[in-house]
Amino acid sequence: MGKSKVLVVGGTGYIGRRIVRASLALGHETYVVQRPELSLQIEKLQRLLSFKKQGAHLIEASFNDHKSLVDAVKQVDVVISAISGVHIRSHSITLQLKLVEAIKEAGNVKRFLPSEFGLDPARMGHALEPGRVTFEDKMAVRKAIEEANIPFTYISANLFAGYFAGSLSQMGSFVPPRDKVHLFGDGTLKAIFLDEDDVATYTIKAIDDPRTLNKTLYLRPPENIISQAELIGIWEKLIGKELEKTYIPPEGFLTTLKGLDYKLQVGIGHFYHIFYEGCLANFEIGEEGEEASKLYPEVNYTRMDEYLKIYV
Amino acid sequence: MEKSRVLIVGGTGYIGKRLVKASLAQGHETFVLHRPEIGVDIEKVQLLLSFKEQGARLVSGSFNDHKSLVNAVKLVDVVICAISGVHIRSHQILLQLKLVDAIKEAGNIKRFLPSEFGTDPARMAHALEPGRVTFDDKMVVRKAIQEAHIPFTYISANCFAGYFLGGLCQPGFIIPPMDSVILFGDGNVKAIYVDEDDIAMYTIKTIDDPRTRNKTVYIRPPENILSQREVVQIWEKLIGKELHKSSISAQQFLSSMEGQPYEQQVGMGHYYHVCFEGCLTNFEIGEEGVEACGLYPQIKYTTVQDFMKRYV
């Protein structure tokens, strides 16, 4: 098939830059939004310049300038938004409503992938406050997309390995401990971990696939559906040492919420749903969803024992 | 010759990451100090892991733990420190005194390169307040090194291309303008611009070289000794358009410093010495100095013209 023209918004971010790289690697003509506001951030600028060197086109556009957004989206077939992170800073998620307005006005976009890449917000109506704000904001964006009849794919990417596997799911660190580890509950609930590069590859595979049109694509590579205890077991085997384990009951975990700042409360709420309720793996995919590793078996996704080797 | 073992402190920083890359590229066994505080910054963690994938070794150590610093330096022959930036946050420069103490105690280090990489502080005793603090602090570190009889090389790297050329030498700009430019005075004062990757390459070349022992190495690539006006002309030629030029006098520039926040005043003071006084080029290198391009003619440094092409 002919390659699509792809616009990545938030291309210098944590998952955004991997999406840019995957888009270029899979042969798409790739455009990256360069916001004028970043003129003082040398690291982001240098990252953009390195994309340019690899063949991407930089387009200047700003969320504060509707016409510049319309002009940007008119140049492409697919728009992928990767603004904000998996967790907090959720106020920036609703910036995408401006992008939706621009896509609606431009009229040419064949597929829009909003910034999701985490838990499926459609299943999180019951989530604890204040963490629920992330999901409510993402649902507001989904509603705007669907009301505007914009063709979409939602990517439910589950847990980023850099955040959750690299730390053995310990809060407050991104490197695995070598002595002691906290387990949530008994640590046996299944979660789903993905190397961020695989998230990007599956995302780019989906952008012009008719099977993912107006669908939620769940990233559930079977060998990465493991519990926290299994993850820790992988690490113990790699370092040849058993960690001292402390088990935190759900009541103990939730009491830590009180008195913490807003962002930490958001994060702790998300952790609770993942590790005490098993919300990533405790449902069957229905009609509205597809599973990425089944659709794209040619992607040789990174297993967690391979992923953790670099931390040894 | 046998390659030295190199420890880089501040390896995730702007120049530090380039030093790691250059050290690996030139075949040195490269160690990067991994401070425990870094564990909470995912970008730094992932950068460190990518160094590890390229063959670097991570060493745990903290400025708050003297023994860990001693243990780290005992692993290597050369220590290069790249903490803090060229300009502000100069309070961090004095952290190197703890590194000096560790090197002194360890006793095995054949060469120490402190964090310099800018204007030669030995020539800046007359500098304007508050910018002089950068140079005062660097001189405090130099004094400690020399009193401890630690063999050293000081790298006077002049203007970082990413900061100075990107903005056509205008403070606060890192992307070249397409319409107008402000010249400092008549724009004819010479400065020296060096691609950060070249700074790193020259630095790693010096670490084993007896000609640079206890010397200041000045990086003065002849084709990159240019005035602001000449830089602007290169850009105009590249974009095929003449910029509207206005001029700011020294007095106007200095009076605009008043009322600015501290960090801005520090940066503007530095700009003043570079762009109005020509402090990078208004002296001859004496006995205590050597010039990098003369020592290492095999390095094909990036010319200003080639550097500017990335912004077109």
Side-chain angles (χ1 to χ4, degrees):
Chain A
M1 70 170 59
K3 288 299 180 179
S4 295
K5 290 176 290 186
V6 179
L7 177 70
V8 182
V9 181
T12 59
Y14 184 78
I15 194 65
R17 60 182 183 260
R18 293 170 165 89
I19 289 173
V20 172
R21 197 162 68 217
S23 181
L24 290 165
L26 291 178
H28 296 288
E29 195 173 339
T30 305
Y31 295 72
V32 185
V33 166
Q34 175 184 330
R35 291 182 248 182
E37 306 98 72
L38 69 69
S39 292
L40 287 178
Q41 300 176 55
I42 194 120
E43 298 289 350
K44 286 190 178 183
L45 173 64
Q46 299 205 338
R47 192 167 283 152
L48 287 168
L49 292 172
S50 76
F51 293 154
K52 187 176 171 183
K53 203 171 179 182
Q54 296 165 60
H57 307 274
L58 305 185
I59 301 183
E60 191 155 295
S62 169
F63 283 108
N64 299 323
D65 178 355
H66 173 72
K67 184 175 190 301
S68 70
L69 286 181
V70 174
D71 290 345
V73 307
K74 277 188 173 177
Q75 298 183 55
V76 301
D77 307 302
V78 174
V79 178
I80 305 174
S81 173
I83 63 177
S84 96
V86 163
H87 300 289
I88 325 179
R89 300 194 307 271
S90 54
H91 61 279
S92 61
I93 292 171
T94 50
L95 269 180
Q96 294 175 99
L97 295 173
K98 300 189 179 193
L99 195 52
V100 170
E101 288 300 319
I103 291 168
K104 190 172 162 186
E105 179 173 326
N108 60 296
V109 170
K110 296 187 176 70
R111 193 78 63 97
F112 175 45
L113 285 74
S115 188
E116 297 235 348
F117 306 111
L119 286 66
D120 183 355
R123 307 184 52 86
M124 300 305 291
H126 72 293
L128 296 169
E129 299 274 10
R132 196 166 78 216
V133 65
T134 304
F135 311 119
E136 288 170 345
D137 285 356
K138 288 182 176 179
M139 288 306 290
V141 175
R142 285 191 179 194
K143 184 168 183 282
I145 292 165
E146 293 172 34
E147 283 180 353
N149 294 305
I150 296 168
F152 64 83
T153 303
Y154 304 140
I155 308 285
S156 182
N158 298 311
L159 300 182
F160 284 178
Y163 280 86
F164 288 90
S167 64
L168 305 184
S169 308
Q170 308 300 283
M171 299 187 77
S173 175
F174 301 114
V175 292
R178 290 179 175 263
D179 300 302
K180 29 184 128 179
V181 64
H182 292 100
L183 288 93
F184 301 109
D186 56 8
T188 57
L189 284 186
K190 301 289 190 178
I192 310 177
F193 303 88
L194 279 106
D195 185 321
E196 292 84 341
D197 289 332
D198 295 327
V199 173
T201 298
Y202 285 128
T203 299
I204 298 298
K205 288 278 187 177
I207 59 174
D208 39 24
D209 187 341
R211 297 173 297 179
T212 63
L213 177 64
N214 294 343
K215 296 275 190 172
T216 299
L217 183 66
Y218 294 93
L219 274 51
R220 288 185 166 188
E223 285 181 56
N224 288 4
I225 306 180
I226 55 182
S227 65
Q228 192 196 7
E230 287 168 329
L231 182 70
I232 291 165
I234 289 171
W235 177 243
E236 288 174 321
K237 192 171 175 185
L238 283 170
I239 64 173
K241 179 186 181 187
E242 196 168 327
L243 305 188
E244 179 191 323
K245 298 178 183 69
T246 305
Y247 298 86
I248 307 178
E251 308 79 42
F253 185 77
L254 287 177
T255 52
T256 67
L257 268 167
K258 296 178 171 49
L260 290 181
D261 73 43
Y262 182 85
K263 286 183 179 180
L264 276 172
Q265 288 193 34
V266 169
I268 284 176
H270 293 185
F271 258 80
Y272 179 81
H273 298 303
I274 294 161
F275 292 108
Y276 288 99
E277 292 184 345
C279 68
L280 302 180
N282 67 4
F283 66 95
E284 297 292 326
I285 296 172
E287 289 281 315
E288 83 298 339
E290 295 285 349
E291 201 281 309
S293 62
K294 287 197 186 95
L295 291 187
Y296 314 115
E298 70 276 12
V299 175
N300 184 26
Y301 64 89
T302 303
R303 278 66 171 170
M304 286 303 109
D305 57 346
E306 194 62 37
Y307 187 86
L308 286 175
K309 278 179 184 171
I310 192 62
Y311 294 87
V312 172
Chain B
M1 74 169 57
E2 185 76 17
K3 287 293 185 177
S4 294
R5 293 165 302 175
V6 180
L7 173 68
I8 298 176
V9 179
T12 58
Y14 183 78
I15 197 68
K17 66 191 183 200
R18 293 169 165 89
L19 290 168
V20 174
K21 185 175 156 194
S23 180
L24 291 166
Q26 293 185 40
H28 294 284
E29 195 176 344
T30 304
F31 296 72
V32 184
L33 193 76
H34 170 200
R35 289 178 258 179
E37 312 96 73
I38 282 177
V40 300
D41 183 332
I42 191 130
E43 299 290 349
K44 288 191 176 183
V45 167
Q46 302 226 322
L47 187 54
L48 287 167
L49 293 173
S50 74
F51 292 156
K52 194 172 173 185
E53 276 175 340
Q54 296 166 62
R57 291 173 50 181
L58 305 185
V59 182
S60 193
S62 169
F63 282 108
N64 299 324
D65 178 355
H66 173 72
K67 189 171 189 301
S68 72
L69 288 183
V70 174
N71 289 340
V73 306
K74 279 187 172 179
L75 297 170
V76 301
D77 307 299
V78 174
V79 177
I80 308 176
C81 188
I83 62 173
S84 94
V86 162
H87 299 290
I88 326 179
R89 299 192 309 270
S90 55
H91 62 278
Q92 278 201 125
I93 292 170
L94 295 180
L95 273 178
Q96 294 176 97
L97 295 174
K98 300 189 179 194
L99 196 52
V100 170
D101 285 338
I103 290 169
K104 190 171 163 186
E105 180 174 325
N108 60 298
I109 294 298
K110 297 185 174 70
R111 194 76 64 94
F112 175 45
L113 285 73
S115 189
E116 297 234 348
F117 305 111
T119 309
D120 184 356
R123 306 184 51 85
M124 300 305 289
H126 73 291
L128 296 170
E129 299 275 9
R132 197 172 77 216
V133 65
T134 304
F135 310 119
D136 291 344
D137 286 356
K138 288 182 176 179
M139 289 306 290
V140 169
V141 175
R142 284 191 180 194
K143 185 168 182 281
I145 292 165
Q146 290 169 220
E147 283 180 352
H149 303 292
I150 297 168
F152 64 83
T153 301
Y154 304 141
I155 306 286
S156 181
N158 299 311
C159 296
F160 282 7
Y163 279 95
F164 280 84
L165 292 180
L168 300 183
C169 312
Q170 299 169 109
F173 285 73
I174 54 173
I175 299 175
M178 302 292 286
D179 301 303
S180 60
V181 62
I182 299 173
L183 297 175
F184 293 114
D186 56 10
N188 289 326
V189 170
K190 299 284 191 178
I192 311 178
Y193 312 92
V194 195
D195 186 322
E196 291 84 339
D197 290 333
D198 294 331
I199 293 171
M201 292 293 284
Y202 285 121
T203 300
I204 300 300
K205 284 287 185 185
T206 68
I207 61 178
D208 294 329
D209 189 340
R211 298 173 296 178
T212 65
R213 181 185 150 99
N214 293 347
K215 295 278 190 178
T216 300
V217 173
Y218 296 93
I219 306 183
R220 288 184 165 188
E223 282 182 63
N224 290 4
I225 304 180
L226 299 168
S227 65
Q228 187 192 12
R229 190 176 286 275
E230 286 166 327
V231 168
V232 170
Q233 281 163 5
I234 289 171
W235 178 241
E236 287 173 323
K237 192 170 174 184
L238 283 170
I239 63 174
K241 180 185 180 188
E242 195 167 329
L243 303 189
H244 177 268
K245 297 173 189 70
S246 54
S247 179
I248 187 170
S249 69
Q251 294 73 35
Q252 285 171 309
F253 185 83
L254 289 175
S255 54
S256 75
M257 279 178 67
E258 290 164 31
Q260 298 283 353
Y262 181 86
E263 295 85 1
Q264 297 281 104
Q265 288 195 35
V266 169
M268 290 176 76
H270 294 183
Y271 260 86
Y272 176 80
H273 297 301
V274 172
C275 298
F276 285 100
E277 289 186 347
C279 67
L280 303 181
T281 56
N282 65 6
F283 66 97
E284 297 293 326
I285 296 172
E287 288 284 313
E288 82 298 337
V290 287
E291 201 282 312
C293 303
L295 291 182
Y296 313 114
Q298 71 275 36
I299 294 185
K300 301 304 176 205
Y301 62 85
T302 303
T303 62
V304 167
Q305 171 153 325
D306 280 345
F307 188 89
M308 301 293 294
K309 283 175 182 171
R310 71 195 64 188
Y311 300 104
V312 174

